[in-house]
Amino acid sequence: MAKGIRSGGWDFDDLFDQDVIGDGPPVPNLRSGGVPLRYAALKYGQRRADVGYRQDGVDVANFWAAKGTSVYKLGFDGLLVSASNGARTNSTGNTNATALLWMHANGTWEARRSATGGGNNSNTVAASGTWIDPGAGAGEYLVLFEQLSGSPVSGLGWYDFTASRAASLGVSVRSQSTDYVEQSASVKATLRRNGIDIRTAVFNLRAQANGWV
């Protein structure tokens, strides 16, 4: 809905991106319906030319992202999670490796590498961060994991955050063998808050395992 404040004949809604994250800086000097204007924070996009309206002596184009320039990414966008496991000599059973991307209900995310069997047992955090917005509750969000390419991934689909959620790729070989297997996949995560898609990430999972013979 147009705000009724214009620059160069254009309403501000046509000049700046909407504040879908909720952290866009408000400008008390500019109001619509008695409410200070706020648009997407400049950090998410690009600065446009001055619009001739100022707050504390600074043109408001320094606060907000120009229309059509905002890009919202989760912290694990572009991440590769790689897990490997090589069977130890004389080990039996199966040798397993799993790469996982966890989004926890407490608002954090973790990239984990798991290795079990073949005489090995490890579960390490390769990277971590936060996915939730300040002041928000996990119940406001849903996440969608979609496969883009590669080997089949577990954990695809829409999920709420009543529990931690993960997309994972695992491989397994017989420990006492010459077997070798390596698989990889590309996955897209879409974070939705109150019915609006607000952030995305494309990440890669890779897992490798081999026997000892």
Side-chain angles (χ1 to χ4, degrees):
M1 180 180 293
K3 296 299 189 297
I5 299 176
R6 305 172 75 84
S7 176
W10 293 89
D11 190 273
F12 268 34
D13 275 7
D14 299 315
L15 299 178
F16 300 103
D17 277 336
Q18 295 299 312
D19 179 25
V20 300
I21 300 297
D23 62 353
V27 173
N29 285 351
L30 298 176
R31 293 175 176 264
S32 178
V35 178
L37 287 191
R38 63 191 304 164
Y39 291 95
L42 181 58
K43 64 182 179 181
Y44 296 117
Q46 299 175 19
R47 188 189 188 283
R48 60 158 290 109
D50 286 356
V51 293
Y53 292 86
R54 294 176 174 269
Q55 175 69 41
D56 298 329
V58 178
D59 193 277
V60 298
N62 291 283
F63 305 143
W64 299 324
K67 187 76 172 181
T69 66
S70 295
V71 178
Y72 305 108
K73 296 295 185 181
L74 289 158
F76 49 86
D77 183 65
L79 185 68
L80 169 63
V81 189
S82 184
S84 62
N85 193 2
R88 296 178 183 272
T89 302
N90 295 325
S91 61
T92 58
N94 291 328
T95 296
N96 315 295
T98 306
L100 309 96
L101 193 289
W102 281 97
M103 294 183 71
H104 294 301
N106 65 2
T108 64
W109 62 265
E110 290 181 326
R112 284 190 169 268
R113 301 186 289 244
S114 171
T116 60
N120 301 300
N121 188 11
S122 64
N123 187 2
T124 59
V125 177
S128 63
T130 301
W131 61 261
I132 202 168
D133 298 301
E140 300 173 34
Y141 297 86
L142 296 172
V143 64
L144 171 64
F145 288 120
E146 298 176 274
Q147 176 126 20
L148 298 181
S149 63
S151 301
V153 171
S154 298
L156 301 178
W158 281 106
Y159 298 98
D160 60 22
F161 285 98
T162 54
S164 296
R165 308 300 183 182
S168 64
L169 176 65
V171 295
S172 181
V173 299
R174 293 182 300 113
S175 298
Q176 190 174 355
S177 72
T178 58
D179 294 345
Y180 172 89
V181 62
E182 180 176 342
Q183 295 183 356
S184 61
S186 178
V187 182
K188 180 180 180 180
T190 300
L191 188 67
R192 177 174 291 181
R193 183 182 183 188
N194 296 327
I196 300 173
D197 294 346
I198 60 169
R199 288 192 182 93
T200 62
V202 174
F203 60 96
N204 296 288
L205 302 173
R206 183 171 63 199
Q208 174 270 322
N210 61 273
W212 59 267
V213 176

